Amino acid sequence: VTYCVGLFLRDGLVFLSDTRTNAGVDHIATYNKSFVVEVPGERAMVLMCAGNLATTQAVVNQVIEGGSQAGDGQTLFTVESMVGAAELVGAAVRKVHARDSAAFKSQDISFDASFILGGQIKNRRMRLFQIYSAGNFIEAAIETPFLQLGEHKYGKPILDRALKYDTSLADGVKLALVSMDSTLRSNLSVGLPIDLTTYEKDTQKIAIRRRIAEDDPYFSALRTSWSEALRRALAVAPGPPWDPGVV
Amino acid sequence: VTYCVGLFLRDGLVFLSDTRTNAGVDHIATYNKSFVVEVPGERAMVLMCAGNLATTQAVVNQVIEGGSQAGDGQTLFTVESMVGAAELVGAAVRKVHARDSAAFKSQDISFDASFILGGQIKNRRMRLFQIYSAGNFIEAAIETPFLQLGEHKYGKPILDRALKYDTSLADGVKLALVSMDSTLRSNLSVGLPIDLTTYEKDTQKIAIRRRIAEDDPYFSALRTSWSEALRRALAVAPGPPWDPGVV
């Protein structure tokens, strides 16, 4: 299982993905699930993926490297807009579906691939999209400033409660990491290390690109701080005005 | 959709269930999903249910009222142990399945019913069980002091992080309500009012039985306090040691 989250903030974008790939509990591997497309100063994008690994790798290859199935030869390095980039990913998913779906169906394998794509091309708006396995897509918005892939439920409440469009990039990083931590704790098939990428608006350059492992001092400090803060929150929260132990 | 949570604590039990029943978004009703069986001083139990409403009502009727299909005439008022009570619920689920499954299958309706049953009979241990739709069941334990039914993922992280077997009943009530609040915020098909029941160990009497609606002053104060505490937790959590906006 995968967990990826993308934040669409006033000051920029935050991307966070886990690296666990598994085909059964006895077949586990570590794969990067977030890919950077960057021409510094001209364009910067991040593509994160969830689903069948062969399918997502085929899509990533097509949209980043081009290749025989890419049709008109466009890649994320050549598209003229972020909408064009999302359309390119959607078209690549449909091509892979056309190629694989009959074989999948004959073996009862479900076609499963979804993507978060965000970034900015010079003189254009910064945007964040989620592309579904059917190739269609939706966009994050000021009222809905985050998108998630995969095992999304455990990490959603903290984002629902605390994340706003005008949250700072640093607080966005904190919230994305706390959301990931909640997911890691609740679902063993989402696993460390995790990949964090940040982008500041109107720079067309990736700001931070870090792989965070078990021993990362910042992630450890954040986890400890958050657990202590929750214990304090429980302590200061008002108790019930009736005694729950009195009959 | 339903969300029910049962806590198994050193000092007693906490039960919390929502009341939303829906067959599509345009067919919504409010139903009690937690049922009390009590002979004060002799036995006290709470049964919570999730799944197909006709199925769960049939099971509840059988185990509380008895009835033609109940076989040897046992009910939750007559069983001699909590394990016997869990077995009775499991047997009732299997009877309803035997009665309905052919018709369900012919109409592509899935058989879906699960239960949390907890309580204590005099001179016996306090116990908390989860009964599956196949009629088999598991028990909460000191290391795993809560059980959930239905839409369980949104409300699980806070319990994973903060609930322990030796959490007090009052803190257990707080945590169950925060867990429910997270679920209510993230899934519209889980809805207020909610039903809270608490039991103190070795009393064989229900302590608190409250229906909590939108305007409940305690629940409102708890929600406000929790949201403020999370904002403070975010403020005091360490920021990343690298500037996420600097290229």
Side-chain angles (χ1 to χ4, degrees), chain B residues 62-74:
Chain B
Q62 277 193 40
V63 299
I64 293 183
E65 313 256 327
S68 60
Q69 292 197 40
D72 58 2
Q74 289 275 42

Side-chain angles (χ1 to χ4, degrees), chain B residues 3 16-21 29-33 180 184 190-196 210-216 219:
Chain B
Y3 180 51
L16 187 65
S17 57
D18 85 312
T19 55
R20 181 68 50 84
T21 299
T30 298
Y31 276 95
N32 173 40
K33 299 176 187 176
M180 178 63 78
L184 294 169
V190 177
L192 287 166
I194 52 181
D195 289 313
L196 175 73
R210 287 184 83 89
R211 174 153 288 193
I212 294 171
E214 190 73 61
D215 59 354
D216 184 271
F219 190 47

Side-chain angles (χ1 to χ4, degrees), chain B:
Chain B
V1 185
T2 287
Y3 180 51
C4 296
V5 58
L7 312 185
F8 178 72
L9 306 176
R10 194 191 51 217
D11 298 339
L13 303 170
V14 175
F15 302 87
L16 187 65
S17 57
D18 85 312
T19 55
R20 181 68 50 84
T21 299
N22 71 304
V25 291
D26 58 349
H27 189 173
I28 285 174
T30 298
Y31 276 95
N32 173 40
K33 299 176 187 176
S34 74
F35 301 88
V36 167
V37 171
E38 189 181 24
V39 180
E42 196 274 324
R43 69 182 60 207
M45 298 180 203
V46 176
L47 178 64
M48 299 193 292
C49 48
N52 179 291
L53 185 63
T55 303
T56 60
Q57 286 191 346
V59 170
V60 170
N61 281 336
Q62 277 193 40
V63 299
I64 293 183
E65 313 256 327
S68 60
Q69 292 197 40
D72 58 2
Q74 289 275 42
T75 71
L76 293 181
F77 287 97
T78 62
V79 289
E80 293 188 359
S81 68
M82 286 304 301
V83 171
E87 286 172 345
L88 187 72
V89 174
V93 180
R94 288 171 180 169
K95 281 174 189 158
V96 176
H97 183 263
R99 184 191 75 184
D100 291 350
S101 63
F104 277 27
K105 217 167 245 175
S106 76
Q107 299 189 33
D108 286 327
I109 302 166
S110 67
F111 184 84
D112 168 27
S114 54
F115 301 84
I116 287 174
L117 174 73
Q120 191 173 20
I121 294 174
K122 197 172 183 179
N123 299 325
R124 288 179 170 268
R125 280 194 293 139
M126 177 183 82
R127 304 181 80 160
L128 183 70
F129 296 99
Q130 176 165 357
I131 300 112
Y132 298 108
S133 56
N136 54 342
F137 52 88
I138 61 168
E139 183 172 7
I142 290 174
E143 308 80 17
T144 307
F146 66 93
L147 297 171
Q148 301 172 295
L149 299 180
E151 179 63 280
H152 66 284
K153 290 188 179 182
Y154 298 118
K156 188 164 182 284
I158 186 61
L159 301 174
D160 280 337
R161 285 176 188 272
L163 189 80
K164 304 276 177 294
Y165 175 68
D166 57 4
T167 296
S168 72
L169 274 179
D171 281 352
V173 167
K174 284 188 207 177
L175 282 169
L177 289 172
V178 169
S179 172
M180 178 63 78
D181 184 40
S182 295
T183 311
L184 294 169
R185 283 171 189 261
S186 293
N187 188 330
L188 276 185
S189 71
V190 177
L192 287 166
I194 52 181
D195 289 313
L196 175 73
T197 316
T198 65
Y199 169 75
E200 190 182 23
K201 190 155 76 176
D202 296 334
T203 61
Q204 289 78 246
K205 284 178 194 161
I206 296 303
I208 291 286
R209 172 82 178 156
R210 287 184 83 89
R211 174 153 288 193
I212 294 171
E214 190 73 61
D215 59 354
D216 184 271
Y218 172 57
F219 190 47
S220 300
L222 182 65
R223 292 174 120 173
T224 304
S225 165
W226 196 259
S227 291
E228 281 168 8
L230 286 185
R231 275 195 290 276
R232 276 197 304 278
L234 180 64
V236 303
W242 14 265
D243 185 335
V246 165
V247 180

Side-chain angles (χ1 to χ4, degrees), chain A residues 1-241:
Chain A
V1 185
T2 287
Y3 180 51
C4 297
V5 58
L7 312 186
F8 178 72
L9 306 177
R10 194 192 49 215
D11 298 339
L13 303 169
V14 175
F15 302 87
L16 187 64
S17 56
D18 86 312
T19 56
R20 181 69 48 85
T21 299
N22 72 303
V25 290
D26 58 349
H27 190 174
I28 285 175
T30 298
Y31 277 96
N32 173 41
K33 299 175 186 177
S34 72
F35 300 88
V36 168
V37 170
E38 189 181 24
V39 180
E42 195 275 325
R43 70 181 58 206
M45 299 180 202
V46 175
L47 178 64
M48 299 193 293
C49 48
N52 179 290
L53 185 63
T55 304
T56 59
Q57 286 191 345
V59 170
V60 170
N61 281 336
Q62 278 194 38
V63 300
I64 293 184
E65 314 256 327
S68 61
Q69 291 195 40
D72 57 4
Q74 287 276 42
T75 71
L76 294 180
F77 286 97
T78 62
V79 290
E80 292 188 0
S81 68
M82 287 304 301
V83 171
E87 286 172 346
L88 187 71
V89 174
V93 180
R94 288 172 180 167
K95 279 172 192 160
V96 176
H97 184 265
R99 185 190 74 183
D100 290 352
S101 63
F104 277 28
K105 215 168 247 175
S106 76
Q107 301 190 33
D108 285 327
I109 302 166
S110 67
F111 186 83
D112 168 28
S114 54
F115 301 85
I116 287 174
L117 173 72
Q120 191 173 18
I121 295 175
K122 196 171 183 180
N123 298 324
R124 288 178 170 269
R125 281 194 294 139
M126 179 182 80
R127 305 181 79 160
L128 182 70
F129 296 99
Q130 176 164 357
I131 299 111
Y132 298 109
S133 56
N136 54 341
F137 53 88
I138 60 168
E139 184 172 6
I142 289 173
E143 308 80 18
T144 307
F146 66 92
L147 296 171
Q148 300 171 295
L149 299 181
E151 180 62 282
H152 66 284
K153 291 188 180 182
Y154 297 119
K156 188 165 181 283
I158 185 61
L159 300 175
D160 280 338
R161 286 175 187 272
L163 188 79
K164 304 278 177 291
Y165 174 67
D166 58 4
T167 297
S168 71
L169 274 179
D171 281 352
V173 167
K174 285 188 206 177
L175 283 167
L177 289 171
V178 169
S179 172
M180 178 63 76
D181 184 40
S182 295
T183 310
L184 294 169
R185 283 170 190 262
S186 292
N187 188 331
L188 276 187
S189 71
V190 177
L192 286 166
I194 52 181
D195 289 314
L196 174 71
T197 315
T198 65
Y199 170 75
E200 189 183 22
K201 189 155 77 177
D202 297 334
T203 62
Q204 287 80 243
K205 284 178 193 162
I206 296 303
I208 291 287
R209 172 82 178 154
R210 285 184 83 89
R211 174 153 288 191
I212 294 171
E214 191 72 61
D215 59 354
D216 184 272
Y218 172 56
F219 190 47
S220 300
L222 181 66
R223 292 173 120 173
T224 304
S225 165
W226 195 259
S227 292
E228 282 168 7
L230 286 185
R231 276 195 289 276
R232 277 197 304 278
L234 180 65
V236 303

